Amino acid sequence: AQSVAQPEDQVNVAEGNPLTVKCTYSVSGNPYLFWYVQYPNRGLQFLLKYITGDNLVKGSYGFEAEFNKSQTSFHLKKPSALVSDSALYFCAVRGLYGGSQGNLIFGKGTKLSVKP
Amino acid sequence: IAGITQAPTSQILAAGRRMTLRCTQDMRHNAMYWYRQDLGLGLRLIHYSNTAGTTGKGEVPDGYSVSRANTDDFPLTLASAVPSQTSVYFCASSDSPGHNQPQHFGDGTRLSIL
């Protein structure tokens, strides 16, 4: 069964410092991995995805993620955090639930708080 | 602006009542999904539709039904609401379900069952 784990409920960083939001996955076959961000009272917004190719994936708003097959991880990173990056972040894997061809299985989310 | 529209934005409902959450997309996406978001549980798939005219059950389908009469609309119905269905409901769509395209989400419906 496909699953993802986000081991940290909350991550706190100071503005200007690098940030990492962790995600590990468990899949059968090739993993298709995604990161989404959710701002208060809004739906999820797509940040980036890994399907195949380069292990370092670049996405929106200066975020990137590193796919590590040996560690089954897909951590989200940003070199310099902004206060406006404060939000809820979800890692997801393509689920293939039942006959679905593309549903997502989400982690429980990590709240990122960036302080000035 | 193209995207997904969900209605209502929020609703308080008495237990036992019937409720339909509406979802409309204008991107002509083939696949649509309904998720519920609960604190500490992330998002869980309720039902999905790979294309107009077809639907399927997700991880937590009990107490919910859906229909997909056309490409744009994917309503979710609670036949007889129960308090455990208090949640935030998100509708999403993607262009081609098998091609790993990102999903687009609406802003959600916050539903409270009393």
Side-chain angles (χ1 to χ4, degrees):
Chain A
Q2 324 280 81
S3 66
V4 293
Q6 294 180 242
E8 302 155 317
D9 291 335
Q10 181 156 345
V11 170
N12 299 311
V13 298
E15 187 174 32
N17 283 1
L19 70 86
T20 299
V21 182
K22 296 180 180 178
C23 173
T24 59
Y25 65 88
S26 174
V27 302
S28 54
N30 294 324
Y32 300 131
L33 298 159
F34 302 81
W35 275 102
Y36 284 80
V37 60
Q38 184 181 31
Y39 298 99
N41 299 313
R42 299 300 302 275
L44 279 68
Q45 297 178 29
F46 170 74
L47 279 178
L48 50 80
K49 67 179 179 181
Y50 173 83
I51 304 300
T52 187
D54 195 347
N55 289 343
L56 185 64
V57 179
K58 294 189 182 296
S60 305
Y61 311 120
F63 284 94
E64 58 189 26
E66 186 171 9
F67 171 69
N68 188 316
K69 188 174 183 178
S70 63
Q71 297 185 5
T72 62
S73 66
F74 188 56
H75 300 332
L76 181 71
K77 301 181 180 183
K78 187 173 182 180
S80 179
L82 300 172
V83 173
S84 57
D85 292 330
S86 299
L88 191 56
Y89 290 81
F90 288 97
C91 182
V93 64
R94 182 179 164 190
L96 301 177
Y97 192 91
S100 169
Q101 299 177 41
N103 68 282
L104 295 172
I105 295 176
F106 288 89
K108 295 180 180 181
T110 298
K111 182 179 180 181
L112 174 66
S113 179
V114 182
K115 300 295 185 184
Chain B
I1 299 176
I4 292 183
T5 301
Q6 290 187 238
T9 303
S10 64
Q11 182 75 44
I12 299 173
L13 191 68
R17 297 296 295 269
R18 180 183 179 90
M19 176 73 189
T20 294
L21 309 185
R22 300 186 297 279
C23 174
T24 300
Q25 53 110 352
D26 60 4
M27 298 172 284
R28 308 301 294 172
H29 283 174
N30 287 311
M32 297 188 74
Y33 313 88
W34 274 105
Y35 297 89
R36 60 177 289 173
Q37 182 179 21
D38 301 289
L39 193 63
L41 296 177
L43 282 81
R44 293 177 292 168
L45 182 69
I46 304 172
H47 285 285
Y48 65 90
S49 169
N50 288 332
T51 189
T54 69
T55 62
K57 294 181 179 180
E59 181 184 356
V60 288
D62 294 344
Y64 306 95
S65 63
V66 292
S67 61
R68 186 87 185 276
N70 57 60
T71 298
D72 299 341
D73 302 301
F74 191 43
L76 176 74
T77 297
L78 289 67
S80 179
V82 295
S84 62
Q85 292 177 311
T86 294
S87 187
V88 182
Y89 292 86
F90 288 98
C91 180
S93 71
S94 63
D95 186 12
S96 299
H99 294 169
N100 301 307
Q101 295 302 309
Q103 291 185 14
H104 298 256
F105 284 78
D107 283 338
T109 294
R110 286 146 190 82
L111 187 61
S112 296
I113 312 297
L114 303 179

